Amino acid sequence: MKTNDLIIQTTTKVVFYIIFLFSIHIFFAGHYTPGGGFVGGLLMSSAIVLLLLAFDLKTVQAMLPVNYTVVTAIGLLIALATASGSIFFNVPFFTHAFDYYNLPLLGKTSIHTAMFFDTGVYLVVVGVTMTIIQMIGGDE
Amino acid sequence: MINLLLFPVLIPFLFATILLFFPKKVKAQRIMVTIGLLLSLISAIMLLIKVKTDGVQAITLGSWAPPFGITMTSDMISALLVTSSIIISLFVVWYSFTSIGEDREKAFYYPAILFMLTGVNGAFTTGDIFNMFVFFEVLLMSSYVLIVLGGEKVQLRESIKYILVNIVSSSLFVITVGYLYSVVGTLNMADISVKLATIGQSGIVTVIAVLFLVVFGIKGAIFPLFFWLPGSYAAPPLPVLTLFGALLTKVGVYAIMRTYTLFFTTDVGFTHELLMILSIITIVAGCIGALAYFDLKQIIIYNIVIAVGVILFGASTMNENGMLGSVFYLIHDILIKGALFLLIGIIIKITGTSDLRKMGGLMKRYPVLAWSYLIAAFGLAGIPPLSGFVGKLLIVQGGFEGEYLWQSIFILASSLIVLLSAIRIFIYAFWGEEKGVKDISIKTYRHLLAPTICLVIVTVLYGIGSEYLVPFMTDAATVLLDPSVYTDAVFGGVK
């Protein structure tokens, strides 16, 4: 039976970007306000799950041709690389550093290596959640 | 290189992550996993030498001061355990090349092994009780993957039991750490040790000690809590069983030894008495199981239970010889259980069954296998020049010195039963008329035999060379008996 799901599909097209932007916001705000890589990653995967609900698995895979196992692995590598950077400076593992930079659009911004670690967490959460959902949802 | 003690944890983790990128390329997986394990072995040996020359190594992550950051501590016992766990993984991986089958290799088998090694090494190295919980979960989750990988019916059934038991024990672990945190207000193991010493003898601390015994007893299979072990360990394929049998229960045993020597030293009369009684009953239960079965796997699995009891008995005596003996026996047991499981793996491959009554007469066609099995069996029982001897001798000596006469006699008697159970396999499988022999190709046989023989040789060298190992073992026992060595290393220059 083919149902007409025009409304949910149209809404999803709009809402997806709002959730996506919110997840990015939560991710960057994590250092000073509640949020961070884990919640941000979950929000991002919930946006993709919304796509999965509105469209079917094949369409979404065509939209986002991503292998989520690889996403997980990249996330782990980023987290490990950030933490291991300290090894090269001969300080204890996981020692973070930060400094202020003048970025083109944002102006004076503090960049902390903990953020790169959080990027790893973000990617791992997205990768793992989406792998689980696609594995259970996909029936091939 | 102040980060050296983290390398045996980080290198397997790095390589496991890299292996996630190309699961289907079996050859590349094999090469990378070997490189990764060799690198970790090198780093572990460097760490061993470093700990031998410079004493206990400690580092607090993130450059925080010790009680506030996560401390990683590598003393002699953890360096030794890390090295032997990497050695076992190396041999198991080598054995897996011919034995595990391509389907499993393509389904993240090697990454799971490396993640498990990360967890095991991390649990051995950590100096923070909650971090230990996290590393326990890392190794348990990878072991869930390994136990169910392949999806045979029996694996599915047993993995449900295994996961249920471990989730219960993990929740208990969190609750216990919660209790401990509310009593001492810290999670750093060295700091806990100092704080508990100032609190002194108090009821709640003893309760927490017993709770820790329950938690780690489930992981390490001591008497009333080993019920999950025989079924769950018999389910996965042989290389996985080898890894589990050699490493996983030992992590629980190490955790008991660590907490009972570092934390709970104030009410020894109750806690260590309890540990001793439980370890003796564990030995008895293991002996009954080892004699009762005609199944190769079950016999060796119950031998794990016996060994856990013996090691914990040595630790519970809390004197120099007993502790030295249990460190010796712990490392011996990791190596010898690895060797025995790989050996019976070959027997099962040849005969196609694990029932002793359906096999016989392998001696004529496979003499090398037979003699190396005999050597390993003698090593297990503790016949003098071989590896099990020194450890058990010292444990029994420690028992007599602590005036635990009957308990020590139990240990000696258990050796006889261990020998009997292992020799029974030898008699049934290798003597008599030839039956149940399926021809496996000579190439497969050789490929399976090579890592096994090498591991047997390692155990023999461990036995013969115990003289050279004594200084290492003494260092390990010293740290266990004197917590101040440990805490001083962690707080070096801070307090």
Side-chain angles (χ1 to χ4, degrees):
Chain A
M1 191 182 78
K2 182 114 171 91
T3 49
N4 192 346
D5 34 17
L6 183 69
I7 294 180
I8 186 170
Q9 288 187 353
T10 319
T11 331
T12 302
K13 281 173 195 163
V14 180
V15 171
F16 174 78
Y17 288 102
I18 300 174
I19 302 179
F20 176 63
L21 286 176
F22 185 52
S23 105
I24 299 290
H25 169 74
I26 284 273
F27 167 69
F28 278 116
H31 200 72
Y32 296 107
T33 55
F38 185 75
V39 196
L42 276 184
L43 269 172
M44 182 62 213
S45 10
S46 73
I48 303 174
V49 170
L50 185 65
L51 282 184
L52 280 171
L53 287 175
F55 305 92
D56 59 302
L57 192 61
K58 276 206 182 108
T59 323
V60 176
Q61 274 168 350
M63 279 187 228
L64 299 166
V66 180
N67 182 347
Y68 289 104
T69 321
V70 174
V71 173
T72 316
I74 291 173
L76 283 176
L77 269 188
I78 291 175
L80 185 62
T82 318
S84 322
S86 50
I87 292 177
F88 298 105
F89 299 99
N90 206 27
V91 286
F93 187 69
F94 252 115
T95 304
H96 286 294
F98 77 99
D99 206 350
Y100 292 94
Y101 295 94
N102 271 317
L103 297 181
L105 275 173
L106 301 164
K108 194 184 173 197
T109 320
S110 77
I111 293 180
H112 197 292
T113 47
M115 192 195 73
F116 299 111
F117 184 79
D118 241 15
T119 316
V121 176
Y122 186 96
L123 290 177
V124 170
V125 172
V126 172
V128 168
T129 323
M130 292 319 296
T131 311
I132 294 171
I133 288 168
Q134 285 198 344
M135 284 274 183
I136 298 173
D139 214 17
E140 302 88 88
Chain B
M1 284 308 279
I2 50 173
N3 287 299
L4 180 65
L5 77 158
L6 291 170
F7 280 20
V9 187
L10 293 182
I11 295 173
F13 182 62
L14 174 68
F15 275 84
T17 315
I18 294 171
L19 286 179
L20 292 178
F21 284 103
F22 42 87
K24 304 289 176 214
K25 294 187 180 119
V26 175
K27 246 212 176 102
Q29 292 254 323
R30 289 178 181 176
I31 294 169
M32 287 302 271
V33 76
T34 319
I35 294 173
L37 285 171
L38 285 175
L39 283 178
S40 348
L41 185 61
I42 292 168
S43 68
I45 290 171
M46 277 164 68
L47 174 64
L48 203 62
I49 295 165
K50 177 100 174 153
V51 173
K52 180 73 201 126
T53 48
D54 297 355
V56 181
Q57 297 290 307
I59 190 173
T60 307
L61 301 188
S63 305
W64 301 102
F68 306 115
I70 292 172
T71 308
M72 301 293 272
T73 320
S74 196
D75 57 354
M76 191 44 91
I77 183 169
S78 71
L80 282 168
L81 285 167
V82 162
T83 315
S84 39
S85 67
I86 293 172
I87 289 174
I88 286 292
S89 315
L90 197 58
F91 284 114
V92 168
V93 163
W94 184 6
Y95 189 90
S96 305
F97 291 162
T98 28
S99 137
I100 198 78
E102 261 192 24
D103 290 344
R104 284 191 170 97
E105 283 179 301
K106 282 180 181 168
F108 302 103
Y109 173 72
Y110 295 121
I113 286 188
L114 287 179
F115 278 126
M116 197 176 102
L117 191 62
T118 312
V120 170
N121 285 349
F124 287 145
T125 317
T126 187
D128 182 285
I129 195 74
F130 195 77
N131 197 233
M132 181 183 261
F133 167 76
V134 174
F135 275 121
F136 263 100
E137 286 307 298
V138 171
L139 77 91
L140 283 174
M141 296 225 179
S142 327
S143 74
Y144 302 154
V145 173
L146 286 173
I147 201 173
V148 81
L149 197 69
E152 289 159 27
K153 201 173 171 190
V154 57
Q155 282 183 298
L156 294 173
R157 189 183 68 223
E158 295 302 333
S159 65
I160 287 188
K161 289 183 201 164
Y162 180 73
I163 292 171
L164 271 179
V165 168
N166 277 303
I167 284 178
V168 170
S169 86
S170 293
S171 343
L172 259 180
F173 194 172
V174 176
I175 293 166
T176 314
V177 171
Y179 279 157
L180 185 63
Y181 185 69
S182 69
V183 173
V184 293
T186 176
L187 291 170
N188 187 303
M189 281 157 71
D191 203 26
I192 292 173
S193 167
V194 174
K195 294 247 164 72
L196 280 180
T198 53
I199 290 173
Q201 194 169 354
S202 103
I204 187 76
V205 176
T206 310
V207 171
I208 293 170
V210 175
L211 272 173
F212 267 121
L213 187 61
V214 172
V215 169
F216 297 136
I218 296 178
K219 317 260 190 212
I222 61 171
F223 162 62
L225 308 164
F226 74 97
F227 56 88
W228 54 275
L229 180 115
S232 297
Y233 275 23
L238 231 294
V240 178
L241 168 59
T242 314
L243 266 186
F244 283 19
L247 297 182
L248 292 195
T249 49
K250 273 42 162 209
V251 183
V253 172
Y254 163 79
I256 293 178
M257 282 172 74
R258 179 60 85 200
T259 47
Y260 271 61
T261 54
L262 193 59
F263 298 174
F264 308 114
T265 46
T266 43
D267 189 11
V268 182
F270 182 79
T271 51
H272 289 62
E273 189 77 36
L274 180 68
L275 183 61
M276 182 172 293
I277 293 166
L278 286 180
S279 60
I280 294 295
I281 309 177
T282 308
I283 294 172
V284 175
C287 287
I288 294 170
L291 288 183
Y293 280 93
F294 275 99
D295 185 298
L296 281 173
K297 286 186 192 172
Q298 294 296 343
I299 293 174
I300 309 292
I301 285 172
Y302 275 99
N303 270 302
I304 301 177
V305 179
I306 301 177
V308 167
V310 173
I311 297 164
L312 287 180
F313 171 74
S316 70
T317 56
M318 286 296 271
N319 59 27
E320 207 170 314
N321 281 324
M323 200 59 83
L324 191 61
S326 56
V327 177
F328 253 113
Y329 205 78
L330 185 56
I331 309 289
H332 145 77
D333 197 59
I334 291 179
L335 297 174
I336 200 79
K337 288 287 144 56
L340 276 172
F341 277 121
L342 294 184
L343 281 164
I344 64 163
I346 301 178
I347 300 177
I348 292 173
K349 201 92 173 179
I350 291 171
T351 56
T353 170
S354 64
D355 191 339
L356 274 180
R357 285 167 292 198
K358 290 184 187 145
M359 57 180 72
L362 296 182
M363 180 67 107
K364 267 179 217 139
R365 216 178 293 183
Y366 304 99
V368 185
L369 178 67
W371 292 116
S372 42
Y373 178 80
L374 193 66
I375 291 170
F378 282 164
L380 179 73
I383 307 276
L386 297 166
S387 59
F389 173 67
V390 185
K392 213 171 253 179
L393 179 75
L394 286 167
I395 289 176
V396 171
Q397 193 185 340
F400 282 131
E401 276 171 14
E403 301 191 340
Y404 305 111
L405 187 64
W406 281 108
Q407 289 91 325
S408 310
I409 290 172
F410 255 109
I411 305 277
L412 290 173
S414 79
S415 300
L416 284 179
I417 293 177
V418 167
L419 184 63
L420 178 59
S421 70
I423 288 300
R424 230 160 49 115
I425 296 180
F426 184 74
I427 291 173
Y428 273 91
F430 293 104
W431 285 1
E433 283 172 35
E434 197 165 284
K435 62 178 174 181
V437 180
K438 291 194 302 185
D439 258 327
I440 61 166
S441 77
I442 195 81
K443 201 174 147 213
T444 325
Y445 171 65
R446 280 195 185 142
H447 282 200
L448 290 175
L449 202 60
T452 315
I453 298 270
C454 289
L455 192 51
V456 173
I457 291 172
V458 170
T459 67
V460 172
L461 289 180
Y462 180 82
I464 296 172
S466 8
E467 188 68 42
Y468 299 101
L469 292 166
V470 168
F472 291 89
M473 302 298 175
T474 319
D475 279 11
T478 314
V479 178
L480 286 176
L481 285 168
D482 184 7
S484 65
V485 179
Y486 187 94
T487 50
D488 287 349
V490 171
F491 288 118
V494 174
K495 271 193 170 171

